[in-house]
Amino acid sequence: MINYGKQSINQDDINAVVDTLKSDFLTTGPKVKEFEEKLAKKLNFKYVVAVSNGTAALHLASLCLLNKGDKVITTPISFIATSNSILYANAKPIFVDIQKNGLINLDLVEEKLKKENIKAIYLVSLTGLMFDEEKVKYLKEKYNVKILYDNAHYFGRDSGICDIATYSFHPVKHITTFEGGAVATNDKKTYEKLLRLRNHGIVKDNSMYPWEYKMIDLGFNYRLSDVASALGISQLERVDKFLEKRKEIAKYYHQNLPSYIKPLYPYNENSSYHLFVVQYDFKNLDEKAKFFTKMKQKGINLQVHYIPIYKHPYYKKRGIKASCPNAEEYYLNSFSLPIYYDLSFEEVDYVIDSLKGCLG
């Protein structure tokens, strides 16, 4: 089966994991700190806190940025973890429609900012495409809002505009730590709070007794193990190669897809291309489902990224509504093609020929 995404594991990765399994520390040891420091350097942040998964990263980031009742603007086209993290902090997600390229429409965001008291904007770099950061900076400064970048799909150097960025290291992402994630910031107080929240809200305090520790926040066990961190360190050594191959595949799709299957946006060498999303004019979701079945019979596992979040039963039950016609159209017409480091161009040709056979 050719999946839409897949990890790349080589012997160096295996050796790194095995060496750590033989070491004194399987968790809360030196590999975690090493991974964090290398990530911080690669991503251009002062501080990085590694956590157990990308959802944990969003949860802790939300607890640092938000208070109960805060209103947060975000996109309906993301994995549910983005807006769920707002709910975890007892805040309220407000969905704003997307542009044709899948990113939230910043002009519509500004219209909301003019009308309502908004605490933060959660920006999702869908597929690995970043925003107009001059516009983001303008909104942040003019309306005094916090900015979170959900960079589960993006991997690259940060510009310093956001207050917090979160990352995911699930196997289909740019690098993997089995499951895993990270929170990045340039603010020391936020960093210190993230460290506490990751580890049950505990700080060490040996002022009276050598064993003493104190819980000062209601935290969680969101630690990343040394074994997972060792894999992450090894993967970081190859992340530039991973990114370059994704761009090569993306460019190849652009050059060879039939005209009736349209990429979500023109080729962009600054995109991380976690996903390669294309669009086709389906009559309805039933037609789209039949197409998915045909492709799966050919050994190709496509995916849809994503169902508009407000359509999920839980959000409906909570009375969270939105009017996002572009998101609805995106959901009907979009699907993700295979793109990952170990995907061969012979396999890409097979995917393209299969698309022609099923949709031509």
Side-chain angles (χ1 to χ4, degrees), residues 146-163:
K146 298 292 185 182
I147 301 293
L148 178 143
Y149 281 167
D150 180 346
N151 283 344
H153 293 188
Y154 175 77
F155 197 96
R157 291 183 67 78
D158 181 71
S159 62
I161 293 172
C162 67
D163 295 278

Side-chain angles (χ1 to χ4, degrees), residues 136-235:
V136 175
K137 184 178 180 182
Y138 159 78
L139 294 176
K140 179 181 179 179
E141 293 176 351
K142 181 171 182 178
Y143 297 97
N144 191 30
V145 289
K146 298 292 185 182
I147 301 293
L148 178 143
Y149 281 167
D150 180 346
N151 283 344
H153 293 188
Y154 175 77
F155 197 96
R157 291 183 67 78
D158 181 71
S159 62
I161 293 172
C162 67
D163 295 278
I164 289 183
T166 63
Y167 298 84
S168 170
F169 307 132
H170 181 276
V172 297
K173 299 296 175 26
H174 301 99
I175 65 170
T176 185
T177 57
F178 310 109
E179 289 277 1
V183 194
T185 183
N186 291 314
D187 182 71
K188 187 175 181 180
K189 287 186 177 179
T190 300
Y191 169 64
E192 291 169 346
K193 185 172 184 179
L194 288 166
L195 289 175
R196 294 196 303 272
L197 291 174
R198 176 181 68 178
N199 188 33
H200 303 282
I202 287 173
V203 294
K204 294 284 183 70
D205 182 357
N206 306 134
S207 57
M208 292 184 65
Y209 308 108
W211 60 82
E212 193 168 14
Y213 60 89
K214 293 179 179 178
M215 176 184 156
I216 62 174
D217 292 304
L218 182 60
F220 308 86
N221 181 358
Y222 281 166
R223 297 187 298 262
L224 190 69
S225 72
D226 277 58
V227 177
S229 297
L231 177 58
I233 293 166
S234 180
Q235 291 260 303

Side-chain angles (χ1 to χ4, degrees), residues 5 7 43 64 77 87 128 208 325:
Q7 71 276 9
L43 299 172
C64 289
I77 299 298
L87 298 177
M208 292 184 65

Side-chain angles (χ1 to χ4, degrees), residues 56-122:
L58 284 162
H59 186 188
L60 298 189
S62 293
L63 293 178
C64 289
L65 290 177
L66 306 177
N67 294 306
K68 184 177 181 180
D70 285 341
K71 294 180 180 179
V72 182
I73 290 174
T74 193
T75 174
I77 299 298
S78 181
F79 187 55
I80 53 175
T82 307
S83 58
N84 282 358
S85 72
I86 298 167
L87 298 177
Y88 297 158
N90 293 307
K92 181 181 178 182
I94 296 174
F95 295 111
V96 169
D97 208 357
I98 60 171
Q99 304 172 85
K100 294 298 183 181
N101 65 4
L103 300 183
I104 195 170
N105 188 318
L106 293 177
D107 291 332
L108 295 180
V109 168
E110 185 168 16
E111 289 181 18
K112 280 286 185 186
L113 291 170
K114 289 176 180 178
K115 297 175 184 177
E116 298 190 49
N117 183 22
I118 303 295
K119 177 65 174 290
I121 308 171
Y122 281 26

